[in-house]
Structures are given as structure tokens and as C-alpha cells.
Amino acid sequence: MSLEEASRQLEAAIHDARVSFDCILLEELDRAHINVITARAATDAAEQAIRVELERRTAAEQGSSGQSSAE
């Protein structure tokens, strides 16, 4: 996953949260519940993508600092 994917997932979460909000106002609680679940899944996917990118950058920084000290 990439940061672009994280961004897409967060956009999807925003959309699903808005739909859920509207469904609550319309008292369509089953549909609201489904959209809350999908919003949460999208948020979790975005969080995972960001975590992977942070770990990748940390590893790259440690790798480049390790090369400098070896010289």
C-alpha cells in the first residue's frame, strides 16, 4: 500500500461516515450501521498503509545512517 492508497481509503471513510450520518437522520439504522462498519474498515486500511510507510522510512533512515558510520 502507498500513501496514495491511504488517502483514497480516508476519502472512502469520509463518504461512508457522511452516508451513515444521513441514514441516522432518516432513521435507517441498519444502513447506518453498515456504513459505519465500512468507514471503520477504510480507516483501518489507511492506518495500516501509513504505518507501513513510516516503517519503510525508518528502515531507510537507519540503513543510510548505518552506511555513513561504516565508512
Side-chain angles (χ1 to χ4, degrees):
M1 273 197 199
S2 66
L3 292 179
E4 289 178 12
E5 180 63 20
S7 180
R8 283 190 292 272
Q9 291 294 334
L10 288 173
E11 287 290 335
I14 290 167
H15 171 76
D16 288 337
R18 287 182 179 150
V19 170
S20 184
F21 177 81
D22 291 341
C23 290
I24 290 168
L25 293 177
L26 297 171
E27 295 189 19
E28 295 181 16
L29 299 183
D30 287 339
R31 190 169 165 214
H33 185 240
I34 290 167
N35 280 281
V36 166
I37 292 169
T38 57
R40 176 60 187 264
T43 303
D44 289 346
E47 188 271 334
Q48 178 64 22
I50 293 168
R51 182 183 314 168
V52 167
E53 181 62 18
L54 284 171
E55 290 172 357
R56 186 195 65 77
R57 289 182 183 190
T58 300
E61 288 174 5
Q62 290 173 349
S64 65
S65 64
Q67 290 175 344
S68 299
S69 62
E71 295 178 349

